[in-house]
C-alpha cells in the first residue's frame, strides 16, 4: 500500500483526520457489532451524560513500521485490560477485551497509508475512548454509550534529541487517596489543565504531584509515571493506589530486569529521597521516557547528576532497548509486539 503524501519529518503531536475510525454502541444492555466508518463527527444530545457529568474514559497506543517493514502495535492487550478497569470504576459497560484488540487491528489496517515509514521517527497514534451518550440530567450513570477508536499520524516527541526537562513540585493535588487516579478517565486530565498551564507560565515543563494525603510521597505528573535510577543503578518507580498503571513504565521495568540485568523496585518513594537519585525520567506512550534534569521545589533546586544536556546512561539504555523492541531492532522475548497483517 502506498503511503499518504505527508511530510513525515514535519509532523508534531496533533490531530490529522484519517480515512476510517471504529464505532460501537451500547444500547438496551448490549454492544452492537461495531463497524468502521468514514464520518469523524459525533451527533449527540446537549444533555448527553459525557457533557454534563464527564462520564468518559480513554486509552492511547501507537502503531509503528518496523525495520523489516511490518506494521505493528505494542501490548494492546494491556490497553484493553486498563480500559475495562476504567469502565468498572466509572460505572460503564466493559467493552470486551478481545473485541478491543480486533477493533485496534481494524483501524490500523484501514489506515495503513497513514502509518509513517520506518526511520522517520513518526508513528500512528491510536485513541480508543468511551463515553455516556444518552441525555442525563440527574446525577447518575448513562444507559447508552459509544466506544470509538480514531487514529492520527504524529511526529517524534523529541525533535533533535531528548533534552532533559525542568519540572516543579505542584501546589495542586492530582488525585484523592480513594479517588480515580488509577484509571484513565477524562476528568483526571481536566483537573490537571490549570496546574500545567500554571507550570508553563512559570517556565517549567511539567509538574510533580505528591500524594494528596500527606504530600510527602512522589506520585506522578499530569500524564506520565516517574522512574528513578539510584547511584548504584537500581531502577525505582513509585507505588501508589492513586497512580495510573502506565504500560510504558511497566514495560520499562521488565526491560531493566530481563534485558539489562538491573535490580528494580516498585515502592513508595518519599520526596525527601529524590535528591539522592542519579537519574529521573517520565514514562508514557508519547515520548517513552522524558528525561528530567531539574526539579524545583519552592525555591530549592534538585539537580540530577545526569545533567541538563542528555539522558542519563541508564535512562538512555532503557529508552534504546524498549524502542528497539518496538521497532524490531531487538528481539521481542515476551510477545509484546503484535503484527497487523
Amino acid at each position: 500500500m502506498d503511503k499518504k503524501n505527508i511530510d513525515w519529518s514535519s509532523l508534531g503531536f496533533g490531530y490529522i483526520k484519517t480515512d476510517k475510525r471504529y464505532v460501537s454502541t451500547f444500547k438496551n444492555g448490549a454492544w452492537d457489532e461495531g463497524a468502521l466508518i468514514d464520518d469523524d463527527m459525533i451527533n449527540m444530545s446537549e444533555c448527553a451524560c459525557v457533557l454534563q457529568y464527564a462520564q468518559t474514559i480513554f486509552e492511547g497506543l501507537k502503531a509503528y513500521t518496523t525495520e523489516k517493514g511490518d506494521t505493528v502495535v505494542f501490548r494492546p492487550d494491556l490497553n484493553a485490560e486498563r480500559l475495562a478497569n476504567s469502565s468498572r470504576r466509572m460505572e460503564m459497560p466493559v467493552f470486551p477485551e478481545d473485541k478491543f484488540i480486533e477493533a485496534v487491528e481494524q483501524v490500523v489496517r484501514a489506515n495503513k497509508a497513514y502509518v509513517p515509514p520506518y526511520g522517520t521517527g513518526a508513528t500512528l497514534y491510536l485513541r480508543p475512548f468511551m463515553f455516556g451518550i444518552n441525555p442525563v440530567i440527574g446525577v447518575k450513570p448513562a444507559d447508552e454509550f459509544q466506544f470509538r477508536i480514531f487514529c492520527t499520524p504524529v511526529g517524534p516527541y523529541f525533535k533533535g534529541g531528548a533534552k532533559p526537562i525542568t519540572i516543579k513540585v505542584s501546589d495542586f493535588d492530582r488525585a484523592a487517596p480513594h479517588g480515580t487516579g488509577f484509571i484513565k478517565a477524562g476528568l483526571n486530565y481536566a483537573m490537571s489543565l490549570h496546574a500545567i498551564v500554571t507550570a508553563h507560565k512559570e517556565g517549567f515543563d511539567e509538574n510533580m504531584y505528591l500524594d494528596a494525603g500527606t504530600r510527602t510521597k512522589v506520585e506522578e505528573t499530569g500524564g506520565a509515571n516517574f522512574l528513578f535510577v539510584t547511584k548504584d543503578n537500581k531502577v525505582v518507580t513509585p507505588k501508589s493506589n492513586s497512580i495510573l498503571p502506565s504500560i510504558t513504565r511497566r514495560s520499562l521495568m521488565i526491560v531493566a530486569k530481563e534485558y539489562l540485568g538491573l535490580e528494580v523496585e516498585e515502592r513508595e518513594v518519599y520526596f525527601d529521597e529524590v535528591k539522592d537519585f542519579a537519574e529521573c525520567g517520565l514514562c508514557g506512550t508519547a515520548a517513552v521516557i522524558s528525561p528530567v534534569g531539574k526539579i524545583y521545589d519552592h525555591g530549592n533546586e534538585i539537580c540530577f547528576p545526569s545533567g541538563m544536556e542528555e539522558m542519563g546512561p541508564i535512562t538512555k539504555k532503557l529508552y534504546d532497548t524498549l524502542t528497539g523492541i518496538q521497532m524490531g531492532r531487538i528481539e521481542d522475548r515476551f510477545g509484546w509486539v503484535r503484527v497487523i497483517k
Side-chain angles (χ1 to χ4, degrees), residues 22 36 61 71 73 76 98-112 126 149 338-341:
Y22 179 91
L36 292 172
L61 67 160
T71 300
V73 291
D98 57 341
K99 284 193 68 175
F100 177 100
I101 294 172
E102 289 173 11
V104 165
E105 291 187 345
Q106 286 184 45
V107 171
V108 175
R109 199 175 292 119
N111 294 286
K112 268 195 174 182
L126 291 99
I149 304 177
R338 191 179 188 94
V339 178
I340 310 297
K341 298 293 186 182

Side-chain angles (χ1 to χ4, degrees), residues 44-94:
M44 71 176 79
S45 167
E46 62 187 352
C47 196
C49 190
V50 63
L51 301 179
Q52 303 307 314
Y53 302 119
Q55 194 179 19
T56 180
I57 56 178
F58 69 99
E59 279 297 322
L61 67 160
K62 288 179 175 180
Y64 313 82
T65 301
T66 67
E67 192 172 39
K68 294 179 180 178
D70 291 330
T71 300
V72 304
V73 291
F74 183 73
R75 307 191 78 179
D77 55 312
L78 294 190
N79 293 100
E81 177 185 69
R82 192 167 63 181
L83 188 86
N85 290 334
S86 296
S87 299
R88 296 181 185 103
R89 179 63 177 83
M90 291 289 286
E91 290 296 328
M92 305 170 82
V94 171

Side-chain angles (χ1 to χ4, degrees), residues 265-313:
E265 193 172 31
E266 182 180 3
R267 61 170 174 81
E268 291 184 336
V269 174
Y270 285 86
F271 180 69
D272 284 350
E273 62 181 300
V274 169
K275 66 183 183 302
D276 298 321
F277 289 121
E279 301 174 36
C280 174
L282 310 181
C283 314
T285 299
V288 181
I289 306 178
S290 301
V292 176
K294 292 181 183 179
I295 298 175
Y296 183 85
D297 176 31
H298 302 88
N300 298 314
E301 270 191 352
I302 297 172
C303 300
F304 293 102
S306 50
M308 290 296 296
E309 293 304 312
E310 56 188 20
M311 282 188 176

